[in-house]
């Protein structure tokens, strides 16, 4: 069994698309893979799973299903406002996600799956509960490596370095760094950042997915995932061995 946490340097960096790509690659290999979203925010009340692409009610797991075809999906909490999980729970008057319960649920899934991919909300240190629990804490509970999704443009070096430093301070292993949306026509900053991000990633490795990957049909998406992510370090991403 293997558990991988997908986090990022912030919101909108492409975590869901990277999660879908990893799930698609695992499924292609015939492996039993589950994808977990501990807390989904920003979905209006009354909308069920399976909302159409582009709909304001399309959840992250809906996107994973659409792109990868994986159906073993687990959303542990949902809050209507597009806020951090803790703030969204507080605003809605709902109990926050219990990370200890989430960790137990994920570990139980991992006992009967070859791969469990867990997509966090926002960045590594976004709060899930009033006590300040984060996806980093969940990674430590599960002793799971974290794949960091980042941006290509200006500002990404500092954001990525801070995220990796926070992981190192907590003893969390880095699986890889992935640029979630590499532009079709990268400018000077993006081209320069590519080398610098590779330096930050170190032995774990740097990969990227092209912008617009989330709009591809399923077969095209799989081919894109295979092309761009196959070089990730196999020792920490066993789905790519």
């Amino acid at each position: 069994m293997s558990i991988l946490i997908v986090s990022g340097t912030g919101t909108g960096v492409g975590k869901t698309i990277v999660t879908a790509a990893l799930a698609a690659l695992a499924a292609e290999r015939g492996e039993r893979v589950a994808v977990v979203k501990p807390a989904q925010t920003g979905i209006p009340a009354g909308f069920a799973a399976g909302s159409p692409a582009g709909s304001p009610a399309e959840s992250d797991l809906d996107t994973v299903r659409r792109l990868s075809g994986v159906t073993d999906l687990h959303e542990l909490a949902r809050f209507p406002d597009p806020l951090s999980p803790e703030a969204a729970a507080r605003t809605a008057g709902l109990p926050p996600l219990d990370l200890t319960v989430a960790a137990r649920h994920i570990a139980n899934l991992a006992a009967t799956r070859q791969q469990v991919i867990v997509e966090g909300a926002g960045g590594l240190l976004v709060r899930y509960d009033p006590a300040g629990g984060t996806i980093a804490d969940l990674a430590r509970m599960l002793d799971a490596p974290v794949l960091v999704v980042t941006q290509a443009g200006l500002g990404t070096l500092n954001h990525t370095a801070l995220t990796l430093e926070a992981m190192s301070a907590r003893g969390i292993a880095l699986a890889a760094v992935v640029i979630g949306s590499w532009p079709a026509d990268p400018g000077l900053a993006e081209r320069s950042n590519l080398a610098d991000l590779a330096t930050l990633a170190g032995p774990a490795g740097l990969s990227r997915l092209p912008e617009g990957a989330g709009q591809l049909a399923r077969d095209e998406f799989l081919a894109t995932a295979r092309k761009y992510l196959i070089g990730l370090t196999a020792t920490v991403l066993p789905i790519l061995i």
Side-chain angles (χ1 to χ4, degrees):
M1 71 177 186
S2 175
I3 301 172
L4 174 69
I5 307 289
V6 177
S7 188
T9 56
T11 297
V13 295
K15 294 187 301 295
T16 302
I17 306 305
V18 172
T19 298
L22 296 172
L25 290 169
E28 182 189 33
R29 291 187 55 82
E31 298 186 5
R32 189 175 184 195
V33 56
V35 180
V36 180
K37 183 74 177 182
Q40 173 71 61
T41 66
I43 301 295
F47 286 96
S51 297
S55 162
E58 184 184 30
S59 71
D60 292 340
L61 292 185
D62 288 334
T63 301
V64 170
R65 179 188 293 107
R66 170 172 59 84
L67 293 173
S68 71
V70 171
T71 57
D72 191 358
L73 307 173
H74 303 262
E75 184 182 277
L76 307 186
R78 175 176 288 204
F79 307 107
D81 296 298
L83 304 168
S84 71
E86 190 276 329
R90 184 176 70 246
T91 300
L94 295 171
L97 176 72
D98 186 323
L99 286 174
T100 301
V101 172
R104 189 178 308 123
H105 183 88
I106 292 165
N108 287 339
L109 289 174
T112 55
R113 276 79 166 174
Q114 290 163 291
Q115 307 294 336
V116 179
I117 304 170
V118 182
E119 184 197 345
L124 183 76
L125 300 184
V126 165
R127 290 162 60 96
Y128 278 73
D129 58 43
T134 68
I135 202 74
D137 294 316
L138 183 63
R140 292 185 66 187
M141 291 178 199
L142 295 166
D143 194 24
V146 172
L147 182 149
V148 174
V149 182
T150 192
Q151 294 177 310
L154 286 173
T156 192
L157 299 180
N158 185 57
H159 296 158
T160 305
L162 287 171
T163 299
L164 300 185
E165 185 175 290
M167 287 172 54
S168 178
R170 290 164 174 77
I172 299 170
L174 173 64
V177 176
V178 177
I179 299 171
S181 181
W182 180 254
D185 185 21
L188 176 61
E190 288 81 8
R191 296 194 304 272
S192 176
N193 286 343
L194 195 61
D196 292 330
L197 286 170
T199 298
L200 289 174
L206 173 72
S207 293
R208 50 185 163 164
L209 284 176
E211 65 180 355
Q215 304 307 314
L216 296 174
R218 190 173 293 168
D219 288 348
E220 295 175 293
F221 182 75
L222 175 60
T224 298
R226 195 185 300 121
K227 175 181 178 181
Y228 285 91
L229 297 187
I230 203 66
L232 290 178
T233 306
T235 55
V236 289
L237 289 178
I239 61 175
L240 300 181
I241 292 175

Coordinates of all heavy atoms in Angstrom, one line a residue, residues 9-103:
T9 N 1.5 25.2 -2.9 CA 2.0 26.5 -2.3 C 0.9 27.5 -2.1 O 1.1 28.6 -1.6 CB 3.0 27.1 -3.3 OG1 2.4 27.3 -4.6 CG2 4.3 26.2 -3.4
G10 N -0.4 27.1 -2.5 CA -1.5 28.0 -2.3 C -2.7 27.4 -3.1 O -2.7 26.3 -3.5
T11 N -3.7 28.3 -3.2 CA -4.9 27.9 -3.9 C -4.8 28.2 -5.4 O -4.2 29.2 -5.8 CB -6.1 28.7 -3.3 OG1 -6.3 28.3 -1.9 CG2 -7.4 28.4 -4.1
G12 N -5.4 27.4 -6.2 CA -5.4 27.6 -7.7 C -4.1 27.2 -8.4 O -3.9 27.7 -9.5
V13 N -3.3 26.4 -7.8 CA -2.0 26.1 -8.4 C -2.1 24.8 -9.2 O -1.1 24.5 -10.0 CB -0.9 25.9 -7.3 CG1 -0.6 27.2 -6.6 CG2 -1.2 24.8 -6.3
G14 N -3.2 24.1 -9.2 CA -3.3 22.9 -10.0 C -3.3 21.6 -9.2 O -3.1 20.5 -9.9
K15 N -3.6 21.6 -7.9 CA -3.5 20.4 -7.2 C -4.5 19.3 -7.7 O -4.1 18.1 -7.7 CB -3.8 20.7 -5.7 CG -2.8 21.5 -5.0 CD -3.1 21.6 -3.5 CE -4.5 22.2 -3.2 NZ -4.6 23.6 -3.6
T16 N -5.7 19.7 -8.0 CA -6.7 18.7 -8.4 C -6.3 18.1 -9.8 O -6.5 16.9 -9.9 CB -8.0 19.4 -8.6 OG1 -8.4 20.0 -7.3 CG2 -9.1 18.4 -9.0
I17 N -5.7 18.9 -10.7 CA -5.3 18.3 -12.0 C -4.2 17.4 -11.8 O -4.1 16.3 -12.4 CB -4.9 19.4 -12.9 CG1 -6.1 20.5 -13.1 CG2 -4.6 18.9 -14.3 CD1 -7.4 19.9 -13.4
V18 N -3.2 17.7 -10.9 CA -2.1 16.8 -10.7 C -2.6 15.5 -10.0 O -2.2 14.4 -10.3 CB -1.0 17.5 -9.8 CG1 0.0 16.5 -9.3 CG2 -0.4 18.6 -10.6
T19 N -3.5 15.7 -9.0 CA -4.1 14.5 -8.4 C -4.8 13.6 -9.4 O -4.6 12.4 -9.4 CB -5.1 15.0 -7.3 OG1 -4.5 15.7 -6.3 CG2 -5.8 13.8 -6.7
A20 N -5.5 14.2 -10.3 CA -6.2 13.4 -11.3 C -5.2 12.7 -12.2 O -5.4 11.5 -12.6 CB -7.1 14.3 -12.2
A21 N -4.1 13.3 -12.5 CA -3.1 12.7 -13.4 C -2.4 11.5 -12.7 O -2.2 10.5 -13.3 CB -2.0 13.8 -13.8
L22 N -2.1 11.7 -11.4 CA -1.5 10.5 -10.7 C -2.5 9.4 -10.6 O -2.1 8.2 -10.7 CB -1.1 11.0 -9.3 CG 0.0 12.1 -9.3 CD1 0.2 12.6 -7.8 CD2 1.3 11.5 -9.8
A23 N -3.8 9.7 -10.4 CA -4.8 8.7 -10.3 C -5.0 8.0 -11.6 O -5.1 6.7 -11.7 CB -6.1 9.3 -9.8
A24 N -4.9 8.7 -12.7 CA -5.1 8.1 -14.0 C -3.9 7.2 -14.3 O -4.1 6.1 -14.9 CB -5.1 9.2 -15.1
L25 N -2.7 7.5 -13.9 CA -1.6 6.7 -14.2 C -1.6 5.4 -13.4 O -1.3 4.3 -13.8 CB -0.3 7.4 -13.9 CG 0.1 8.6 -14.8 CD1 1.2 9.4 -14.3 CD2 0.5 8.0 -16.2
A26 N -2.1 5.5 -12.1 CA -2.3 4.3 -11.3 C -3.3 3.4 -11.9 O -3.1 2.2 -11.9 CB -2.6 4.8 -9.9
A27 N -4.4 4.0 -12.3 CA -5.5 3.2 -12.9 C -5.1 2.5 -14.1 O -5.4 1.3 -14.4 CB -6.7 4.0 -13.1
E28 N -4.3 3.2 -14.9 CA -3.8 2.6 -16.2 C -2.9 1.4 -15.9 O -3.0 0.4 -16.7 CB -2.9 3.6 -16.9 CG -2.4 3.1 -18.3 CD -1.4 4.0 -19.0 OE1 -0.7 4.7 -18.3 OE2 -1.4 4.0 -20.2
R29 N -2.2 1.3 -14.8 CA -1.4 0.2 -14.4 C -2.2 -0.9 -13.8 O -1.7 -2.0 -13.4 CB -0.3 0.6 -13.4 CG 0.7 1.5 -14.0 CD 1.9 1.8 -13.1 NE 2.4 0.6 -12.6 CZ 3.4 -0.2 -13.3 NH1 3.8 0.3 -14.4 NH2 3.8 -1.3 -12.8
G30 N -3.5 -0.7 -13.7 CA -4.4 -1.7 -13.1 C -4.4 -1.8 -11.6 O -4.8 -2.8 -11.0
E31 N -3.9 -0.7 -11.0 CA -3.8 -0.7 -9.5 C -5.1 -0.2 -8.9 O -5.8 0.6 -9.5 CB -2.6 0.2 -9.1 CG -1.3 -0.4 -9.6 CD -0.1 0.4 -9.0 OE1 -0.3 1.3 -8.2 OE2 1.0 0.1 -9.4
R32 N -5.4 -0.7 -7.8 CA -6.6 -0.2 -7.0 C -6.2 1.1 -6.3 O -5.4 1.1 -5.4 CB -7.1 -1.3 -6.1 CG -8.4 -0.9 -5.5 CD -9.0 -2.0 -4.6 NE -10.3 -1.7 -4.1 CZ -10.9 -2.2 -3.1 NH1 -10.3 -3.2 -2.4 NH2 -12.1 -1.8 -2.7
V33 N -6.8 2.2 -6.8 CA -6.4 3.5 -6.3 C -7.7 4.2 -5.8 O -8.7 4.2 -6.4 CB -5.7 4.3 -7.4 CG1 -6.6 4.5 -8.6 CG2 -5.4 5.7 -6.9
A34 N -7.5 4.8 -4.6 CA -8.6 5.7 -4.0 C -8.0 7.1 -4.0 O -6.8 7.3 -3.8 CB -9.0 5.2 -2.7
V35 N -8.9 8.0 -4.1 CA -8.6 9.5 -4.0 C -9.5 10.0 -2.9 O -10.7 9.8 -2.9 CB -8.8 10.2 -5.3 CG1 -8.4 11.7 -5.1 CG2 -8.0 9.6 -6.4
V36 N -8.8 10.7 -2.0 CA -9.5 11.3 -0.8 C -9.4 12.8 -0.8 O -8.3 13.4 -1.0 CB -8.9 10.8 0.5 CG1 -9.6 11.4 1.7 CG2 -9.0 9.2 0.5
K37 N -10.5 13.5 -0.6 CA -10.5 14.9 -0.4 C -11.0 15.1 1.1 O -12.2 15.0 1.4 CB -11.4 15.6 -1.3 CG -11.5 17.2 -1.2 CD -10.2 17.8 -1.8 CE -10.3 19.3 -1.7 NZ -9.1 20.0 -2.3
P38 N -10.1 15.4 2.0 CA -10.5 15.5 3.4 C -11.6 16.6 3.6 O -12.6 16.3 4.4 CB -9.2 15.8 4.2 CG -8.2 15.2 3.3 CD -8.6 15.5 1.9
A39 N -11.4 17.7 3.0 CA -12.4 18.8 3.2 C -12.6 19.6 1.9 O -11.6 20.1 1.4 CB -12.0 19.7 4.3
Q40 N -13.8 19.6 1.3 CA -14.1 20.3 0.1 C -14.9 21.6 0.5 O -15.8 21.6 1.3 CB -15.0 19.5 -0.8 CG -15.6 20.3 -2.0 CD -14.5 20.6 -3.0 OE1 -13.9 19.7 -3.6 NE2 -14.3 21.8 -3.3
T41 N -14.4 22.7 0.1 CA -15.0 24.0 0.4 C -15.5 24.7 -0.9 O -15.0 24.3 -2.0 CB -14.1 25.0 1.1 OG1 -13.0 25.4 0.3 CG2 -13.6 24.3 2.4
G42 N -16.4 25.6 -0.8 CA -16.8 26.4 -2.0 C -17.8 25.8 -2.8 O -18.1 26.2 -4.0
I43 N -18.5 24.7 -2.4 CA -19.6 24.1 -3.1 C -20.9 24.4 -2.5 O -21.1 24.1 -1.3 CB -19.4 22.5 -3.2 CG1 -18.1 22.2 -3.8 CG2 -20.6 21.9 -4.0 CD1 -17.9 22.6 -5.3
P44 N -21.8 25.1 -3.2 CA -23.1 25.5 -2.6 C -23.9 24.3 -2.1 O -23.8 23.2 -2.6 CB -23.9 26.1 -3.8 CG -22.8 26.5 -4.8 CD -21.7 25.5 -4.6
A45 N -24.6 24.6 -1.0 CA -25.4 23.5 -0.4 C -26.4 23.0 -1.4 O -27.0 23.7 -2.3 CB -26.2 24.0 0.8
G46 N -26.7 21.7 -1.3 CA -27.8 21.0 -2.2 C -27.2 20.4 -3.4 O -28.0 19.8 -4.2
F47 N -25.9 20.5 -3.7 CA -25.4 19.9 -4.9 C -24.7 18.6 -4.5 O -23.9 18.5 -3.6 CB -24.3 20.9 -5.5 CG -24.9 22.0 -6.2 CD1 -25.0 23.3 -5.6 CD2 -25.4 21.9 -7.5 CE1 -25.6 24.4 -6.2 CE2 -25.9 23.0 -8.2 CZ -26.1 24.2 -7.5
A48 N -25.1 17.6 -5.3 CA -24.5 16.3 -5.0 C -23.3 16.0 -5.9 O -23.0 16.8 -6.8 CB -25.6 15.2 -5.3
A49 N -22.6 14.9 -5.7 CA -21.4 14.6 -6.5 C -21.9 14.3 -7.9 O -23.0 14.0 -8.2 CB -20.8 13.3 -5.9
G50 N -21.0 14.5 -8.9 CA -21.2 14.3 -10.3 C -21.7 15.5 -11.0 O -22.3 15.3 -12.1
S51 N -21.5 16.7 -10.6 CA -21.9 17.9 -11.3 C -21.0 18.0 -12.5 O -19.9 17.6 -12.6 CB -21.7 19.1 -10.4 OG -22.5 19.0 -9.3
P52 N -21.6 18.7 -13.6 CA -20.9 18.7 -14.9 C -19.7 19.6 -14.8 O -19.5 20.5 -14.0 CB -22.0 19.3 -15.8 CG -22.9 20.1 -14.9 CD -22.9 19.3 -13.6
A53 N -18.8 19.4 -15.8 CA -17.5 20.1 -15.9 C -17.9 21.6 -16.1 O -18.7 22.0 -16.8 CB -16.7 19.6 -17.1
G54 N -17.1 22.4 -15.3 CA -17.3 23.9 -15.5 C -18.4 24.4 -14.6 O -18.5 25.7 -14.4
S55 N -19.2 23.6 -14.0 CA -20.3 24.0 -13.1 C -19.7 24.5 -11.8 O -18.7 24.0 -11.4 CB -21.2 22.8 -12.9 OG -22.0 23.1 -11.7
P56 N -20.3 25.6 -11.2 CA -19.8 26.0 -9.9 C -19.9 24.9 -8.8 O -19.3 25.0 -7.8 CB -20.7 27.2 -9.6 CG -21.9 27.0 -10.5 CD -21.4 26.4 -11.7
A57 N -20.7 23.9 -9.2 CA -20.9 22.8 -8.2 C -19.9 21.6 -8.5 O -20.0 20.6 -7.8 CB -22.3 22.3 -8.2
E58 N -19.0 21.7 -9.5 CA -18.1 20.6 -9.8 C -17.1 20.6 -8.7 O -16.2 21.5 -8.6 CB -17.4 20.8 -11.1 CG -16.5 19.6 -11.5 CD -15.7 19.8 -12.8 OE1 -15.4 20.9 -13.2 OE2 -15.4 18.7 -13.4
S59 N -17.1 19.6 -7.9 CA -16.1 19.4 -6.8 C -14.8 19.0 -7.3 O -14.6 18.6 -8.5 CB -16.6 18.5 -5.8 OG -16.6 17.1 -6.3
D60 N -13.8 19.0 -6.5 CA -12.5 18.5 -6.9 C -12.5 17.0 -7.2 O -11.9 16.6 -8.2 CB -11.5 18.7 -5.8 CG -11.2 20.2 -5.6 OD1 -11.4 21.0 -6.5 OD2 -10.7 20.6 -4.5
L61 N -13.3 16.2 -6.5 CA -13.4 14.8 -6.8 C -14.2 14.6 -8.1 O -14.0 13.6 -8.8 CB -14.0 14.1 -5.7 CG -13.1 14.0 -4.4 CD1 -13.8 13.1 -3.4 CD2 -11.7 13.4 -4.7
D62 N -15.2 15.5 -8.4 CA -15.8 15.4 -9.7 C -14.8 15.6 -10.8 O -14.9 14.9 -11.9 CB -16.9 16.5 -9.8 CG -18.1 16.3 -9.0 OD1 -18.4 15.1 -8.7 OD2 -18.8 17.2 -8.6
T63 N -13.9 16.5 -10.6 CA -12.9 16.7 -11.7 C -12.0 15.5 -11.8 O -11.6 15.1 -12.9 CB -12.0 18.0 -11.3 OG1 -12.9 19.1 -11.2 CG2 -11.0 18.3 -12.3
V64 N -11.6 14.9 -10.7 CA -10.8 13.7 -10.7 C -11.5 12.6 -11.5 O -10.9 11.9 -12.3 CB -10.4 13.3 -9.3 CG1 -9.7 11.9 -9.3 CG2 -9.5 14.3 -8.6
R65 N -12.7 12.4 -11.2 CA -13.5 11.4 -11.9 C -13.6 11.7 -13.4 O -13.3 10.7 -14.2 CB -14.9 11.3 -11.3 CG -15.8 10.3 -12.0 CD -17.3 10.4 -11.5 NE -17.4 10.0 -10.1 CZ -17.7 10.9 -9.2 NH1 -17.8 12.2 -9.4 NH2 -17.9 10.5 -7.9
R66 N -13.9 12.9 -13.7 CA -14.0 13.2 -15.1 C -12.7 13.0 -15.9 O -12.7 12.5 -17.1 CB -14.4 14.7 -15.2 CG -14.4 15.3 -16.7 CD -15.0 16.7 -16.7 NE -14.4 17.6 -15.8 CZ -13.3 18.3 -16.2 NH1 -12.7 18.1 -17.4 NH2 -12.8 19.2 -15.3
L67 N -11.6 13.4 -15.3 CA -10.3 13.3 -16.1 C -9.7 11.9 -16.0 O -9.0 11.5 -17.0 CB -9.3 14.3 -15.5 CG -9.7 15.8 -15.7 CD1 -8.8 16.7 -15.0 CD2 -9.7 16.1 -17.2
S68 N -9.8 11.2 -14.9 CA -9.1 10.0 -14.7 C -9.9 8.7 -14.9 O -9.4 7.6 -15.1 CB -8.4 9.9 -13.3 OG -9.4 9.8 -12.3
G69 N -11.2 8.9 -14.7 CA -12.1 7.7 -14.7 C -12.1 6.9 -13.4 O -12.9 5.9 -13.2
V70 N -11.3 7.3 -12.4 CA -11.3 6.7 -11.1 C -12.6 7.0 -10.3 O -13.0 8.2 -10.3 CB -10.1 7.1 -10.3 CG1 -10.2 6.7 -8.8 CG2 -8.8 6.6 -10.9
T71 N -13.2 6.0 -9.8 CA -14.5 6.2 -9.1 C -14.4 5.9 -7.6 O -15.4 6.1 -6.9 CB -15.6 5.3 -9.7 OG1 -15.2 4.0 -9.7 CG2 -15.8 5.8 -11.2
D72 N -13.3 5.4 -7.1 CA -13.1 5.2 -5.7 C -12.7 6.5 -5.0 O -11.6 6.7 -4.7 CB -12.1 4.1 -5.5 CG -12.0 3.5 -4.1 OD1 -12.8 4.0 -3.2 OD2 -11.2 2.6 -3.8
L73 N -13.7 7.3 -4.7 CA -13.5 8.7 -4.3 C -14.2 8.9 -2.9 O -15.3 8.5 -2.7 CB -14.1 9.7 -5.3 CG -13.7 9.4 -6.8 CD1 -14.5 10.3 -7.7 CD2 -12.2 9.7 -6.9
H74 N -13.5 9.7 -2.1 CA -13.9 9.8 -0.7 C -13.8 11.3 -0.3 O -12.7 11.8 -0.1 CB -13.1 8.9 0.2 CG -13.1 7.5 -0.2 ND1 -14.0 6.6 0.4 CD2 -12.5 6.8 -1.1 CE1 -13.8 5.4 -0.1 NE2 -12.9 5.5 -1.1
E75 N -14.9 12.0 -0.1 CA -14.9 13.3 0.4 C -15.4 13.2 1.8 O -16.5 12.8 2.1 CB -15.9 14.2 -0.4 CG -16.0 15.6 -0.1 CD -17.0 16.4 -0.9 OE1 -16.6 16.8 -2.0 OE2 -18.1 16.6 -0.4
L76 N -14.6 13.7 2.8 CA -14.9 13.5 4.2 C -15.6 14.6 4.8 O -16.3 14.4 5.9 CB -13.6 13.3 5.0 CG -12.6 12.2 4.4 CD1 -11.5 11.9 5.3 CD2 -13.4 10.9 4.2
A77 N -15.6 15.8 4.3 CA -16.4 16.9 4.8 C -16.6 17.9 3.6 O -15.7 18.0 2.7 CB -15.6 17.6 5.9
R78 N -17.7 18.7 3.7 CA -18.0 19.7 2.7 C -18.6 20.9 3.3 O -19.5 20.8 4.2 CB -19.0 19.1 1.6 CG -19.5 20.1 0.6 CD -20.4 19.5 -0.4 NE -19.6 18.7 -1.4 CZ -20.0 18.4 -2.6 NH1 -21.1 18.9 -3.1 NH2 -19.3 17.6 -3.4
F79 N -18.1 22.1 2.9 CA -18.6 23.3 3.4 C -18.9 24.3 2.3 O -18.1 24.3 1.3 CB -17.5 23.9 4.4 CG -17.1 23.0 5.4 CD1 -15.8 22.4 5.4 CD2 -17.9 22.6 6.5 CE1 -15.4 21.5 6.3 CE2 -17.5 21.8 7.5 CZ -16.2 21.2 7.4
P80 N -19.9 25.1 2.4 CA -20.4 25.8 1.2 C -19.5 27.0 0.8 O -19.5 27.4 -0.4 CB -21.8 26.3 1.6 CG -21.8 26.3 3.1 CD -20.9 25.2 3.5
D81 N -18.9 27.7 1.7 CA -18.1 28.9 1.4 C -16.7 28.6 0.9 O -16.0 27.7 1.5 CB -18.1 29.8 2.6 CG -19.5 30.3 3.0 OD1 -20.2 31.0 2.1 OD2 -20.0 30.0 4.1
P82 N -16.2 29.4 0.0 CA -14.8 29.2 -0.5 C -13.8 29.8 0.4 O -13.2 30.8 0.1 CB -14.9 29.9 -1.9 CG -15.9 31.0 -1.7 CD -16.9 30.5 -0.8
L83 N -13.6 29.2 1.5 CA -12.7 29.6 2.5 C -11.8 28.4 2.9 O -11.9 27.3 2.4 CB -13.5 30.1 3.8 CG -14.5 31.2 3.5 CD1 -15.4 31.4 4.8 CD2 -13.8 32.5 3.2
S84 N -10.9 28.7 3.9 CA -10.1 27.6 4.4 C -11.1 26.6 5.1 O -12.2 27.0 5.5 CB -9.1 28.1 5.4 OG -9.8 28.5 6.6
P85 N -10.8 25.3 5.2 CA -11.7 24.4 5.9 C -12.2 24.9 7.3 O -13.3 24.7 7.6 CB -10.9 23.1 5.9 CG -10.0 23.2 4.8 CD -9.6 24.6 4.7
E86 N -11.3 25.4 8.1 CA -11.7 25.8 9.4 C -12.6 27.0 9.4 O -13.6 27.0 10.0 CB -10.4 26.2 10.2 CG -10.7 26.4 11.7 CD -11.1 27.8 12.0 OE1 -10.7 28.7 11.3 OE2 -11.9 28.0 13.0
A87 N -12.3 28.0 8.5 CA -13.1 29.2 8.4 C -14.4 28.9 7.8 O -15.5 29.4 8.2 CB -12.4 30.3 7.6
A88 N -14.4 28.0 6.8 CA -15.7 27.6 6.1 C -16.6 26.8 7.1 O -17.8 27.0 7.1 CB -15.4 26.7 4.9
A89 N -16.0 26.0 7.9 CA -16.8 25.3 8.9 C -17.4 26.3 9.9 O -18.6 26.2 10.3 CB -16.0 24.2 9.6
R90 N -16.6 27.2 10.4 CA -17.0 28.2 11.4 C -18.1 29.0 10.8 O -19.1 29.3 11.5 CB -15.8 29.0 11.8 CG -16.1 30.0 12.9 CD -14.9 30.7 13.3 NE -14.4 31.7 12.3 CZ -13.2 31.5 11.7 NH1 -12.4 30.5 11.9 NH2 -12.9 32.4 10.8
T91 N -18.0 29.5 9.6 CA -18.9 30.4 8.9 C -20.3 29.7 8.8 O -21.3 30.3 8.9 CB -18.4 30.9 7.6 OG1 -17.2 31.6 7.8 CG2 -19.4 31.8 6.9
A92 N -20.2 28.4 8.4 CA -21.4 27.6 8.2 C -22.1 27.1 9.5 O -23.2 26.5 9.4 CB -21.1 26.5 7.2
G93 N -21.4 27.3 10.6 CA -21.9 26.7 11.8 C -21.9 25.2 11.9 O -22.7 24.6 12.6
L94 N -20.9 24.6 11.2 CA -20.8 23.2 11.1 C -19.5 22.7 11.9 O -18.5 23.5 12.0 CB -20.7 22.7 9.7 CG -21.9 23.0 8.8 CD1 -21.6 22.7 7.3 CD2 -23.1 22.1 9.3
P95 N -19.5 21.5 12.4 CA -18.3 21.0 13.0 C -17.1 20.9 12.0 O -17.3 20.5 10.9 CB -18.7 19.7 13.6 CG -19.8 19.3 12.8 CD -20.6 20.5 12.4
P96 N -15.9 21.2 12.4 CA -14.8 21.1 11.5 C -14.4 19.6 11.3 O -14.8 18.7 12.1 CB -13.7 21.8 12.3 CG -14.0 21.7 13.7 CD -15.5 21.7 13.8
L97 N -13.6 19.4 10.3 CA -13.1 18.1 10.1 C -12.2 17.6 11.2 O -11.4 18.4 11.7 CB -12.3 18.0 8.7 CG -11.6 16.7 8.4 CD1 -12.6 15.6 8.0 CD2 -10.6 16.9 7.3
D98 N -12.4 16.4 11.7 CA -11.5 15.9 12.7 C -10.3 15.2 12.0 O -10.6 14.1 11.3 CB -12.3 14.9 13.6 CG -11.5 14.4 14.8 OD1 -10.2 14.1 14.6 OD2 -12.0 14.2 15.8
L99 N -9.1 15.7 12.0 CA -8.0 15.2 11.3 C -7.6 13.8 11.8 O -7.1 12.9 11.0 CB -6.8 16.1 11.3 CG -6.9 17.4 10.5 CD1 -5.8 18.3 10.7 CD2 -7.0 17.0 9.0
T100 N -7.8 13.5 13.1 CA -7.5 12.2 13.6 C -8.5 11.1 13.0 O -8.0 10.0 12.6 CB -7.6 12.2 15.1 OG1 -6.7 13.1 15.7 CG2 -7.3 10.8 15.7
V101 N -9.7 11.5 12.9 CA -10.7 10.6 12.2 C -10.4 10.4 10.7 O -10.4 9.3 10.2 CB -12.1 11.1 12.4 CG1 -13.1 10.3 11.6 CG2 -12.5 11.1 13.9
A102 N -10.0 11.5 10.1 CA -9.6 11.5 8.7 C -8.4 10.5 8.5 O -8.4 9.7 7.6 CB -9.3 12.9 8.2
A103 N -7.4 10.7 9.4 CA -6.2 9.8 9.3 C -6.6 8.3 9.4 O -6.0 7.5 8.7 CB -5.2 10.2 10.3

